[in-house]
Amino acid sequence: MDLTVLGCHGPYPPAGGACSGYLIREEGMSLLLDCGNGVLSRLQQYLDFRDLDAVLLSHLHPDHYSDLMIMRYGLVMARNSGWRNDPLKIYAPPEPEAEYERLPYKEVYSVEPIGPDQVLQIGPFAIETGAVVHAVPGVCLRIRSASGTLVYSGDTEYFHGLEMFAAGADLFLCEANFQEMDIVNNLANHTSASQAARVATAAEVKRLLLTHHHPDRDREVSRAEAEKYYPAVEMATEGETYVIGT
Ligand SMILES: [Zn+2]
């Protein structure tokens, strides 16, 4: 399984960067995890967006889905020209309702609700969802294929049980929007780099890839805070492809 980081920032990108978006590929199937602003442009460096098989949204914050509001124009043109006739499948939490209802567009998307504790099979990917603690309902994702297991935290603050959900992952893609100072200051809704690293160690994951970098926070500080608990920590980098498992 290949994971290509298209965008790894939030809640807004730095100059030249993009918000959350990860392209997962295996056996000719292409799955997009989240589709924040800047992701559609980046995606096309690797794949024609009209050939995507499905999109999975961790939650309905615009930094995780806003480029779907743009991709739909291209998909209408693709349908009109005969390039693509079937709608693109979008899996998303059904709340906030107003956001969810904005997703369908001229039948180019087929939108299906997902929640915690579900099991999905999308081509070669066996997917389990888990609950998160965030400002809006969302899910974390455990994606298994014949070659390995990817766990994606989505957006969440630390909660007891994340270790269990991530247990033994070949790669744990975990948000680290916060630093220790933010936790001391009682900020909610996101995980710090050191919390992510402690989860990774407890869960005995094979690789930890920190993401959802905050443009106002020094990435090297986040790395140093995480390295205290998980020395081999990696920082998600846009344009990089990570091979998961064998
Ligand atoms: Zn969010």
Side-chain angles (χ1 to χ4, degrees):
M1 188 188 333
D2 283 355
L3 159 71
T4 300
V5 176
L6 304 174
C8 59
H9 293 92
Y12 66 93
C19 284
S20 297
Y22 310 93
L23 177 61
I24 313 295
R25 288 181 286 188
E26 170 130 353
E27 295 176 17
M29 282 282 295
S30 304
L31 186 61
L32 182 62
L33 295 188
D34 287 338
C35 189
N37 42 302
V39 168
L40 178 57
S41 171
R42 286 275 170 74
L43 173 65
Q44 292 173 86
Q45 294 174 324
Y46 305 94
L47 177 85
D48 193 306
F49 69 97
R50 294 166 289 198
D51 294 331
L52 260 181
D53 291 297
V55 180
L56 261 169
L57 300 180
S58 62
H59 66 297
L60 294 179
H61 272 154
D63 57 329
H64 290 256
Y65 84 91
S66 61
D67 263 12
L68 284 184
M69 296 291 135
I70 309 299
M71 192 190 295
R72 60 194 192 176
Y73 302 132
L75 289 174
V76 168
M77 289 177 196
R79 187 187 55 199
N80 292 344
S81 69
W83 180 295
R84 178 181 183 128
N85 295 315
D86 55 319
L88 176 60
K89 192 99 176 182
I90 311 277
Y91 298 88
E95 295 173 89
E97 206 177 327
E99 305 288 326
Y100 186 76
E101 284 175 357
R102 289 179 69 206
L103 292 174
Y105 184 76
K106 296 189 178 177
E107 296 173 359
V108 295
Y109 294 145
S110 161
V111 186
E112 189 169 307
I114 53 168
D117 305 319
Q118 271 183 242
V119 177
L120 303 167
Q121 185 76 38
I122 305 175
F125 306 109
I127 300 169
E128 293 167 58
T129 62
V132 296
V133 180
H134 197 50
V136 298
V139 291
C140 47
L141 298 160
R142 189 175 177 93
I143 302 174
R144 200 161 33 83
S145 74
S147 62
T149 301
L150 162 69
V151 172
Y152 172 42
S153 66
D155 275 12
T156 186
E157 60 185 63
Y158 171 74
F159 63 92
H160 187 65
L162 187 54
E163 296 88 346
M164 187 97 86
F165 192 79
D170 291 298
L171 191 144
F172 180 31
L173 177 65
C174 189
E175 77 121 297
N177 202 231
F178 283 172
Q179 296 177 340
E180 281 176 19
M181 206 52 179
D182 300 310
I183 303 302
V184 169
N185 290 332
N186 273 326
L187 296 190
N189 294 318
H190 290 287
T191 302
S192 73
S194 69
Q195 287 175 323
R198 278 176 275 175
V199 169
T201 295
E204 298 183 351
V205 303
K206 296 194 179 70
R207 292 171 78 185
L208 170 63
L209 187 60
L210 296 185
T211 193
H212 208 285
H213 306 307
H214 196 299
D216 291 342
R217 293 176 174 92
D218 184 341
R219 197 180 295 197
E220 291 312 309
V221 170
S222 299
R223 183 201 294 274
E225 290 182 357
E227 278 177 342
K228 288 183 201 161
Y229 301 97
Y230 193 94
V233 63
E234 298 169 76
M235 308 300 277
T237 302
E238 289 169 3
E240 287 288 319
T241 293
Y242 303 82
V243 178
I244 297 168
T246 53

